[in-house]
Amino acid sequence: QVQLVESGGGLVQPGGSLRLSCATSGFTFSNSFMSWYRQAPGKGRELVASISSTGGNTRYADSVKGRFTISRDNTKNTMYLQMTSLKPEDTAVYYCKAVTNYVYWGQGTQVTVSS
């Protein structure tokens, strides 16, 4: 069974930091192109960051560039998103996505940035 499970979300004050994790199983993680998306209520799903299968290439949305860092550990089948200098507009449900010969999504984890 394919599983992508996000964790690490929660409530944080503006300027704070969080690290999200996406733990996967049931497919060949090391061959997958991975990405993080986010979606606020009533809004479309937005691509936040992506990373190639080996981690050699990364891309970021302009809104998070310089603040977020995407990474992966192929020995643990896990992808990460380190978020710093968080802003209220970062509030959203964050989703993990894997692309191989199929497309897989996680269930999402809530990030709320508020004082």
Side-chain angles (χ1 to χ4, degrees), residues 21-94:
S21 298
C22 173
T24 74
S25 61
F27 67 99
T28 305
F29 178 82
S30 60
N31 289 339
S32 66
F33 181 84
M34 302 293 297
S35 57
W36 287 99
Y37 285 74
R38 66 186 182 186
Q39 187 169 24
K43 299 182 180 178
R45 193 164 294 188
E46 173 191 20
L47 177 62
V48 176
S50 60
I51 187 167
S52 60
S53 60
T54 64
N57 288 285
T58 58
R59 298 287 186 270
Y60 298 92
D62 288 343
S63 59
V64 308
K65 193 171 297 183
R67 299 188 298 119
F68 291 10
T69 302
I70 189 171
S71 62
R72 65 193 295 161
D73 186 342
N74 285 354
T75 70
K76 297 181 178 180
N77 295 332
T78 301
M79 177 178 67
Y80 306 94
L81 185 67
Q82 179 67 52
M83 306 185 295
T84 62
S85 302
L86 283 162
K87 306 174 180 179
E89 50 262 45
D90 295 319
T91 296
V93 177
Y94 284 71

